[in-house]
């Protein structure tokens, strides 16, 4: 199995590339979804969230009170408290997903995260893919996707690193300034490069 990390700024097209790869048979793990999953499934995280954010963090059926937590984190400036509870558990959970993918015989494992470069453990993934798109295009695309204001999106963008300065750490760069059809073609070309590296048994490093 070959392991791939994919990153890029808000609205660059990471999830779209992952959807294309998923259709072709890759095992995809999205860091945000993994965090949300852990907030429900990990008893220690649950306990810490209840202690820090109160009973309102969960609703009666045990599911996460997303609206409340999002409001506490982003409107009340408590995002670091939330991250301090969840982030330390992410690497092990990602490794577990990787092991699951390997066991199930997937050739390609993909980990999608906006903060991949900040949180990457050395040697954790075989390849890094960076998706880049012009700021104005990203803004327009996210405005359509999220129905949010340009002002809101600009604020979110300004909190992120400038990915144009991170090209050195990427093994592959996908520029997403064209149409969706063009993105699909590029994503498929990259996928075809990874596929033979996935082999049948184990990671690239074992095949070399
Ligand atoms: P985020 O970090 O916010 O999750 P992302 O990098 O995962 O963003 P996507 O959700 O894949 O970005 O793309 C943002 C939006 O732009 C989506 O609605 C997607 O369908 C659309 N999109 C992506 N690429 C293109 C393109 N080439 N042409 C038109 N729309 C696109």
């Amino acid at each position: 199995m070959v392991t791939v990390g994919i990153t890029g700024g808000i609205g660059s097209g990471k999830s779209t590339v992952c959807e294309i790869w998923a259709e072709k048979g890759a095992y995809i793990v999205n860091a945000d979804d993994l965090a949300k999953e852990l907030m429900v499934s990990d008893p220690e995280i649950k306990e810490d969230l209840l202690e820090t954010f109160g009973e309102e963090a969960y609703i009666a059926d045990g599911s996460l009170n997303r609206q409340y937590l999002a409001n506490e984190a982003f409107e009340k400036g408590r995002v670091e408290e939330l991250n301090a509870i969840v982030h330390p558990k992410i690497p092990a959970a990602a490794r577990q997903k990787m092991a699951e993918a390997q066991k199930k015989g997937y050739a390609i494992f993909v980990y999608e995260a906006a903060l991949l470069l900040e949180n990457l453990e050395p040697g954790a993934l075989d390849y890094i893919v960076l998706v880049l798109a012009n700021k104005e295009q990203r803004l327009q695309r996210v405005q359509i996707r999220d129905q949010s204001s340009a002002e809101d999106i600009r604020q979110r963008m300004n909190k992120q690193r400038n990915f144009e300065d991170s090209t050195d750490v990427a093994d592959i760069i996908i520029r997403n300034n064209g149409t969706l059809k063009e993105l699909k073609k590029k994503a498929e070309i990259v996928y075809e490069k990874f596929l033979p590296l996935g082999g049948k048994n184990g990671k690239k490093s074992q095949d070399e």
Side-chain angles (χ1 to χ4, degrees):
M1 185 173 80
V2 66
T3 62
V4 178
I6 183 166
T7 192
I10 173 171
S12 57
K14 302 177 291 295
S15 300
T16 308
V17 170
C18 286
E19 278 165 28
I20 297 162
W21 288 348
E23 269 174 36
K24 298 186 84 64
Y27 187 103
I28 312 284
V29 174
N30 174 290
D32 292 337
D33 293 344
L34 186 59
K36 283 177 200 141
E37 193 183 313
L38 288 177
M39 288 188 224
V40 178
S41 65
D42 186 302
E44 279 175 16
I45 292 182
K46 247 181 136 164
E47 203 183 308
D48 287 353
L49 284 177
L50 285 167
E51 201 175 299
T52 309
F53 292 95
E55 298 289 326
E56 272 184 88
Y58 293 88
I59 39 188
D61 66 359
S63 60
L64 201 63
N65 189 344
R66 288 188 188 187
Q67 215 175 346
Y68 168 78
L69 277 176
N71 189 53
E72 289 292 305
F74 301 110
E75 302 300 325
K76 298 195 183 167
R78 302 184 71 189
V79 69
E80 274 160 26
E81 284 173 78
L82 184 63
N83 288 347
I85 294 172
V86 185
H87 278 184
K89 295 265 190 166
I90 298 268
R95 277 195 299 275
Q96 201 183 334
K97 294 278 182 195
M98 208 186 274
E100 267 171 43
Q102 174 119 44
K103 207 168 149 195
K104 288 180 180 164
Y106 280 84
I108 303 180
F109 171 89
V110 182
Y111 184 68
E112 179 198 350
L115 293 176
L116 183 75
L117 304 177
E118 285 77 1
N119 298 331
L120 193 64
E121 295 177 313
L125 296 160
D126 297 326
Y127 294 98
I128 304 294
V129 174
L130 176 60
V131 187
L132 294 174
N134 297 335
K135 212 166 180 177
E136 278 311 304
Q137 268 168 322
R138 294 196 285 131
L139 188 73
Q140 278 179 14
R141 289 170 184 168
V142 175
Q143 259 184 298
I144 298 169
R145 187 194 62 187
D146 296 352
Q147 307 284 303
S148 19
S149 71
E151 171 70 23
D152 262 15
I153 301 162
R154 278 212 180 85
Q155 271 184 16
R156 281 154 70 191
M157 280 178 166
N158 290 339
K159 284 188 192 145
Q160 293 189 320
R161 67 164 66 220
N162 181 357
F163 283 91
E164 293 285 348
D165 295 336
S166 306
T167 52
D168 283 358
V169 295
D171 298 295
I172 292 173
I173 294 167
I174 297 178
R175 290 208 176 258
N176 180 21
N177 294 317
T179 62
L180 272 173
K181 198 173 163 196
E182 283 164 336
L183 179 64
K184 186 161 190 267
K185 187 173 163 195
K186 288 183 184 184
E188 283 174 353
I189 290 170
V190 174
Y191 189 87
E192 296 307 323
K193 280 189 188 180
F194 285 139
L195 202 52
L197 303 171
K200 261 190 116 183
N201 329 287
K203 301 205 306 189
K204 174 193 71 137
S205 53
Q206 290 168 358
D207 298 333
E208 280 173 344

